Amino acid sequence: MQDNSMKSLLATSYLSGGNASYIEELYEIYLKNPDGVPQEWQNFFESLPNVSNMGTTDVSHADIKDYFLQLAKQPRAFHVPITADALKERKQIQVEKLIENYRRFGHLAAKIDPLGFQRPEVSELQLNKYNLSEADYKETFAAEGLMGKSQATLKDIYTKLRNVYTETIGAEYMYISNQEEVRWLQHYLEQKKSSVIAAEDKPEILKLLTAADGLERYLGNRFVGQKRFSLEGGDAFVPLLHEIINRSGSEGVKEVVIGMAHRGRLNVLVNVMGQSPEELFQEFEGRKDYGLTSGDVKYHLGFSSDVATVGGPVHLSLAFNPSHLEVISSVVMGSVRARQDRYEDAHRNQITAIQVHGDAAFAGQGIVMETLNMSQTNAYSVGGAIHIVINNQVGFTTSNPKDARSSLYCTDVAKMIEAPVFHVNGDDPEAVVFLGQLATDYRKKFGKDIVIDLVCYRLHGHNEADEPSATQPIMYQKIRTMDSPREIYAQKLIKEGIVTEAQSKNLVDEYREALDQGKQIIVNTVQNSQRKSQNWSQFIGQETNVVVDTSVSKETLKKLGKKLEEYPKNFELQRQVGNMMEARAQMTEGKVPLDWGYAETMAYATLLDEGYPIRITGQDCRRGTFGHRHAVLYDQKTGESYFPLAHLSKDQPFFHIYDSLLSEQAVVGFEYGYAKTQPNTFTAWEAQFGDFANGAQVVIDQFISSGWQKWKQLSGLVMLLPHGYEGMGPEHSSARLERYLQLCAQHNIQVCAPTTPAQIFHLLRRQMVRPLRLPLIIMTPKSLLRHKLAVSTLDDLAKGKFQLIIPEIDAIKADKVRKIVLCSGKVYYDLLIKRREENIEDIAIIRIEQLYPFPYDELEMELEKYKKTKEVVWCQEEPKNQGAWFIIRDRILGCLKKGQDLVYAGRPPSAAPAAGYPALHKKQQTELVNDALK
């Protein structure tokens, strides 16, 4: 039974002159449990006609409503006794509710918008909501958690609540389930906020605002009309970054990695990172020489420097960034994790990530959610990141926030991981700096993400050539009447007597003069001999055809093989895993041929034995999607795990392998960030199926394939992409080989399709042993993992190398060959089996194992054996418009002799990657093999 209408009648009729809310609450308790209210109230309710005979299950809502309607006609017909202590207790309860709701809803009324647009009133923040008024101001109540003392007047409590929660900071944290965090944040806000910025620190904030404002004005006047994505309106971002960096340094942080979008980037380069203004001016004037690389626009560029802080030098690294801005978030996290591993920073306190976002991107880009979701997982945690949203309130050009998101705030996605969010008015730089302190301390204390929503505006349009009033007329009418954040703060300090008009003007003049001379006066850059860095110079300028020895002695292979067979006593393996371990023991003894899983595992073991750490992630990578790897063993009785590759020797480097969350874009971005930071760590990502990499296409296009050409950044990331046509439908057949080949140019990446266990062994080893760091894309097999013909021997590992091309393996006489079939990947075995079944002796089959960089010399040498052969066939499983054909065709033609023709054998063009019906797949596969061998 619901009694909302009845409670309303009790309250509005004000029966007996007592406290209406008190009567309302007591009546609700009485209905549920008559003994749960004070005795005098029990007597009151029972004395009313018929009430004592009413039960909540026996009387209808309408009956009780009619009854109280009658009572309401006689508002003074009776009197209800209420003691002073009871009323005081009730008021105390209401005061506690008031405090609770200010903590929970105060942000809704906070003055966070520098434009001052009206926000709706919030009833939960009004005194009358709790039957309190100014008449109660002098009464004292318990409020120790809020006031820092046991008792305070209602006036002091109410004033404190409004000052903390409804001024220029809007705090959201009450949804956090960890009450230790909640209490810590409450204490920080309520006890430290009013006194955190000392008077002697305020001139420094003004100096930083002067620099932020001064650089933008200078660039706007000197380079009229050029894009710079001005920070104007969000100037407080610069003192915020300075505060986080300085406070981090004082807390023992050695490095800070920053990822950010366009807006304000140039300001960060000069006024935070310490880049020479003259170097920036060269970018504007087009005088920057990129040599043979493509370079990038100035507001994509990164930078690194060492700056002085109270706690010592801190290395700053601003990540290079493409126009898909938010993708940098996961890349930065990977770079931070790599640095933490380099420092052996298990507590993740020595390296910090600062992520800077735009408001529309933070709300709109799915990679934000993916990266946040990664933040506390074993594979991707970095001990929390500090997120700053430069919130200009319109995003790109959207005129209404409702067109940009469905949530109240652009930051609401962060609540998914219970990250605290603080909205702050960009025209109150002291509040902004305070939040920089809070965020830094929170991250150190709890190792979790935190978000600062810097609510500001942009003085110009999306870029300096854009006219914003076309879509935001009201907003820009307001903006054009406003003083800059720097001017507002200068006037505040002048009124407080902290600086004079002359001192304020001198700051402006000094900064402009420094820019005229191309000097830096804001950032104190230093030499940092303590930083643990990586030497990339040995990998620069290397030729992609450099040959190295990837073989490993049989003695070493057997020694490592036996170590991999060991696991703890009384460790009960799952049946199939146990069979696999027994089979691998026989492979080590040379009793049976080696399969793919053995050779791949042995590649990792030998790399670890030679001092290379290993990091592998992927959605099923511990066991392998197709159960070929089982790099982690699980006790079937206890569930405990054991990593054989991590127990080869006491002094070996780390072996980290993680099953990832169901993400591709953020995960691949993370691993790219890791690989570009740690050149001597073997870093790999394995797709569950090759087509899953489609979800990471932005990372592949804008980082992996072009990072060197744009930014001179190398990466040795390995991507393992299961690929092959086994009738598994349109999606899980193809890893979209054509997309990677299309990206290939200037020896930027490697694309390989190994077909034997020995080939994967040598290929993986080559990736680290060679003095070369290029991304490696491997089309890995599915059915070949256990194919009876796709096997190798220990000798192949001990004496061989990675073959760019595998020549004909059967006893085919070269002078009798009428046709050469070139192929790559799994289709080779279909061709080989068919040829053997048909006893065909005049067709040679050659495998191209490395599709890029293309092995021109090796292919020409192999074709030279078949001088009389006129017909050369390229055979592939993929449709004609997909796979390697259209990319590789001209390269093969360049290797043919005069009079030789190149023809295609494969599936016809198709919109879908593969057939969905098994029968159709089988028919097509048979036809393409027959076509190649006809």
Side-chain angles (χ1 to χ4, degrees), residues 661-713:
L661 69 166
L662 193 65
S663 162
E664 288 78 44
Q665 187 175 16
V667 167
V668 175
F670 189 103
E671 302 308 336
Y672 168 79
Y674 195 103
K676 80 175 184 66
T677 306
Q678 286 287 71
N680 290 316
T681 297
F682 178 91
T683 307
W685 174 74
E686 181 174 58
Q688 193 174 55
F689 286 86
D691 64 289
F692 280 32
N694 295 347
Q697 200 64 46
V698 171
V699 180
I700 296 163
D701 290 350
Q702 302 203 358
F703 289 93
I704 293 173
S705 69
S706 57
W708 170 254
Q709 289 302 313
K710 293 189 293 188
W711 312 312
K712 293 187 177 180
Q713 286 198 318

Side-chain angles (χ1 to χ4, degrees), residues 772-796:
L772 185 71
R773 290 297 176 266
L774 292 177
L776 171 60
I777 315 299
I778 306 179
M779 300 288 117
T780 57
K782 294 177 287 184
S783 61
L784 298 191
L785 295 175
R786 297 172 181 83
H787 199 288
K788 63 181 180 180
L789 296 179
V791 293
S792 300
T793 66
L794 280 175
D795 283 337
D796 294 330

Side-chain angles (χ1 to χ4, degrees), residues 490-752:
Q491 290 305 310
K492 177 180 182 293
L493 295 192
I494 290 168
K495 289 180 181 177
E496 292 177 1
I498 293 176
V499 299
T500 65
E501 286 272 11
Q503 289 172 328
S504 175
K505 184 177 183 302
N506 284 341
L507 288 175
V508 176
D509 295 341
E510 288 172 3
Y511 187 78
R512 174 158 188 117
E513 183 179 348
L515 291 181
D516 283 336
Q517 297 175 9
K519 295 180 179 179
Q520 174 56 262
I521 63 171
I522 293 298
V523 183
N524 183 16
T525 56
V526 295
Q527 293 295 319
N528 184 359
S529 60
Q530 303 301 312
R531 186 171 76 89
K532 295 182 179 181
S533 60
Q534 289 287 347
N535 179 18
W536 284 88
S537 60
Q538 61 183 308
F539 305 113
I540 296 175
Q542 297 285 351
E543 296 294 329
T544 55
N545 60 357
V546 60
V547 178
V548 293
D549 183 8
T550 56
S551 63
V552 178
S553 70
K554 259 190 179 182
E555 180 183 2
T556 299
L557 291 172
K558 289 190 174 185
K559 178 192 72 172
L560 293 173
K562 291 184 181 299
K563 291 296 292 183
L564 292 173
E565 294 162 21
E566 296 176 0
Y567 51 88
K569 292 182 179 179
N570 302 319
F571 198 91
E572 184 176 314
L573 297 177
Q574 191 263 351
R575 181 175 58 83
Q576 288 93 333
V577 176
N579 293 339
M580 180 204 72
M581 295 292 284
E582 291 175 7
R584 287 187 178 177
Q586 291 187 309
M587 294 175 194
T588 299
E589 294 299 321
K591 295 179 180 179
V592 298
L594 314 183
D595 64 13
W596 193 279
Y598 182 94
E600 182 192 337
T601 302
M602 194 58 70
Y604 301 142
T606 56
L607 288 174
L608 289 165
D609 190 54
E610 293 170 17
Y612 296 101
I614 292 177
R615 173 184 169 87
I616 305 172
T617 68
Q619 285 154 17
D620 278 324
C621 70
R622 286 183 167 186
R623 63 162 192 164
T625 296
F626 310 100
H628 79 287
R629 184 175 295 122
H630 290 290
V632 183
L633 308 178
Y634 294 94
D635 189 322
Q636 298 301 294
K637 294 178 295 184
T638 66
E640 292 182 2
S641 59
Y642 181 76
F643 297 70
L645 283 163
H647 294 86
L648 299 175
S649 66
K650 291 182 179 179
D651 57 351
Q652 72 170 78
F654 66 74
F655 173 73
H656 294 164
I657 185 166
Y658 301 97
D659 288 336
S660 75
L661 69 166
L662 193 65
S663 162
E664 288 78 44
Q665 187 175 16
V667 167
V668 175
F670 189 103
E671 302 308 336
Y672 168 79
Y674 195 103
K676 80 175 184 66
T677 306
Q678 286 287 71
N680 290 316
T681 297
F682 178 91
T683 307
W685 174 74
E686 181 174 58
Q688 193 174 55
F689 286 86
D691 64 289
F692 280 32
N694 295 347
Q697 200 64 46
V698 171
V699 180
I700 296 163
D701 290 350
Q702 302 203 358
F703 289 93
I704 293 173
S705 69
S706 57
W708 170 254
Q709 289 302 313
K710 293 189 293 188
W711 312 312
K712 293 187 177 180
Q713 286 198 318
L714 295 172
S715 163
L717 178 65
V718 178
M719 295 178 63
L720 304 171
L721 309 180
H723 176 81
Y725 282 56
E726 287 103 351
M728 298 189 70
E731 311 307 338
H732 292 343
S733 296
S734 177
R736 293 292 192 176
L737 171 62
E738 64 278 0
R739 293 182 178 172
Y740 301 95
L741 293 176
Q742 185 185 36
L743 294 171
C744 292
Q746 301 175 298
H747 289 187
N748 59 334
I749 58 177
Q750 308 161 86
V751 181
C752 299

Side-chain angles (χ1 to χ4, degrees), residues 106-117 119 162-163 165-170 423-428 455:
H107 62 91
L108 296 172
K111 305 177 184 69
I112 59 174
D113 184 0
L115 302 181
F117 289 119
R119 304 188 81 183
R162 297 193 67 79
N163 286 340
Y165 291 106
T166 66
E167 287 299 318
T168 54
I169 293 176
H423 314 277
V424 60
N425 189 316
D427 275 357
D428 185 354
V455 184

